[in-house]
Amino acid sequence: AHSGETGTSSYPVGDIPAGGHQSIELELTAHDAGPLLVQAEAVAEGGLETSAMQEVLVRKPELQVEILAPEFQYAGTVADYEIRVSNPGNADAKSVRIESAIPPGSKLVSADQGGRRGGDSEVVTWNLPTLRAGTEAVLHMTCEIETPGRKRAQVVAAADGDLKDSSSALTDVEGLADLALQISDPQGPLPIGDDATYQIRIRNRGTKAAQNVLVVAFFSDGIEPVSAEGATNELQPGQVLFAPITEVAAGGEALLKIVGRANAAGNHVCRVEVRCEELGTSLAAEETTRYFSQTSVADRSADRDYEPATKEF
């Protein structure tokens, strides 16, 4: 018997002549791997008694699987999942198949050691012909997590002999806002005194809304803002102060416009600064536009009219 369990069975043999023998075949089913002790006793009339003992090593494969996942991750980043499949038994496990589900809201980036995703399936599969007794295989799967929330990674391992085990792990995924700033200035050169529109585009490329976004625009000497739209604003000499933008949604944008008017010729700069304290984000961008005096152009044209039509060689 194995693991402390005992069982007995009796079989009548009848008479055994002098010098003879009798054989009995027993079929035993072992439930666990390890040493199995088989003991037999024979008794007969006249107080005859004998016994024999034999230890049999029972071999059996086993299968265990575990998946390790990061506890925390930002949406839009790549997470690594480690899968450990082991055979703690004393016999080789045959035809081992490991299947790991791609976490919801994620897409597969890579899988090592021959791991494959079948068609449109959201499962990555590995096949191991043999997993030797007492050994372990370590597999890796990387996924880009696209959406926030609690993500569950699950893995199932199976092998011949109805061996099967499963494991799961949770990852808390947090969204993150990602702001980008762009200024579109009017195509120059432009005459002074004409209105010119500067367009400010603030895009949120992240997976979480950006809150309370502050925007300030500055103009160099020689040009002044005359109006603005897109958010409540205050015009001051050389700058525009916008009221905080309450929210720029994930994947969305905020569009602001400023009309400026140059009062002097030259290259004039529009600089925009964006801040979001919640994110610790500070962005800046600027554009330069050339402005010219129409009077100067007319004077130069007149000068050209009186230039002598001769050339020196």
Side-chain angles (χ1 to χ4, degrees), residues 61-63 92-97 128-129 158-164:
E62 297 181 21
L63 201 60
D92 295 348
K94 302 292 186 180
S95 301
V96 181
R97 182 181 178 90
L128 306 177
D160 290 351
D162 294 328
L163 299 179
K164 190 173 184 180

Side-chain angles (χ1 to χ4, degrees), residues 272-303:
V272 177
E273 296 182 358
V274 174
R275 296 195 310 274
C276 182
E277 294 183 2
E278 179 188 13
L279 302 176
T281 297
S282 180
L283 304 174
E286 62 181 40
E287 289 291 344
T288 301
T289 306
R290 176 72 176 175
Y291 291 87
F292 63 89
S293 169
Q294 291 178 313
T295 302
S296 299
V297 172
D299 291 344
R300 287 196 298 271
S301 297
D303 291 342

Side-chain angles (χ1 to χ4, degrees), residues 14-311:
D15 295 338
I16 300 178
H21 68 274
Q22 182 75 37
S23 298
I24 300 173
E25 292 186 359
L26 300 178
E27 185 174 319
L28 304 177
T29 301
H31 297 289
D32 298 304
L36 178 65
L37 185 63
V38 180
Q39 182 175 356
E41 295 182 353
V43 295
E45 294 179 355
L48 299 178
E49 183 176 339
T50 187
S51 65
M53 189 180 303
Q54 179 68 46
E55 184 178 89
V56 178
L57 180 61
V58 179
R59 296 188 177 277
K60 179 184 178 182
E62 297 181 21
L63 201 60
Q64 293 180 356
V65 69
E66 180 183 19
I67 185 167
L68 305 176
E71 295 182 1
F72 177 84
Q73 199 83 14
Y74 282 114
T77 60
V78 175
D80 180 73
Y81 297 89
E82 183 175 280
I83 300 166
R84 296 179 174 271
V85 55
S86 61
N87 177 6
N90 58 9
D92 295 348
K94 302 292 186 180
S95 301
V96 181
R97 182 181 178 90
I98 303 102
E99 295 183 344
S100 179
I102 299 172
S106 305
K107 65 180 181 181
L108 179 67
V109 176
S110 65
D112 65 359
Q113 300 195 48
R116 293 184 178 180
R117 175 184 174 182
D120 295 331
S121 171
E122 294 301 313
V123 174
V124 180
T125 302
W126 291 264
N127 290 289
L128 306 177
T130 302
L131 184 60
R132 297 191 177 279
T135 65
E136 176 184 69
V138 179
L139 314 171
H140 288 272
M141 174 180 72
T142 58
C143 298
E144 181 179 351
I145 305 179
E146 300 176 310
T147 59
R150 176 163 284 191
K151 308 296 183 181
R152 180 183 296 275
Q154 296 178 303
V155 63
V156 176
D160 290 351
D162 294 328
L163 299 179
K164 190 173 184 180
D165 193 29
S166 63
S167 176
S168 65
L170 292 173
T171 300
D172 289 319
V173 181
E174 182 177 321
L176 186 66
D178 181 19
L179 297 180
L181 170 63
Q182 181 184 13
I183 304 175
S184 298
D185 64 333
Q187 183 176 359
L190 298 175
I192 61 174
D194 282 8
D195 289 346
T197 300
Y198 294 82
Q199 183 171 275
I200 303 166
R201 189 183 303 273
I202 304 165
R203 294 186 296 118
N204 184 355
R205 302 172 297 186
T207 56
K208 180 181 179 181
Q211 310 286 341
N212 297 320
V213 180
L214 304 176
V215 183
V216 182
F218 302 93
F219 288 86
S220 60
D221 292 339
I223 183 172
E224 292 292 335
V226 295
S227 66
E229 62 180 75
T232 303
N233 60 81
E234 178 183 348
L235 299 180
Q236 296 184 1
Q239 64 182 19
V240 181
L241 305 177
F242 288 93
I245 300 173
T246 305
E247 178 179 288
V248 181
E253 65 177 32
L255 185 63
L256 309 174
K257 293 182 180 179
I258 302 174
V259 175
R261 187 177 300 153
N263 51 42
N267 293 320
H268 300 317
V269 178
C270 173
R271 176 182 173 85
V272 177
E273 296 182 358
V274 174
R275 296 195 310 274
C276 182
E277 294 183 2
E278 179 188 13
L279 302 176
T281 297
S282 180
L283 304 174
E286 62 181 40
E287 289 291 344
T288 301
T289 306
R290 176 72 176 175
Y291 291 87
F292 63 89
S293 169
Q294 291 178 313
T295 302
S296 299
V297 172
D299 291 344
R300 287 196 298 271
S301 297
D303 291 342
R304 284 196 297 270
D305 291 340
Y306 291 98
E307 288 179 359
T310 60
K311 293 185 179 179

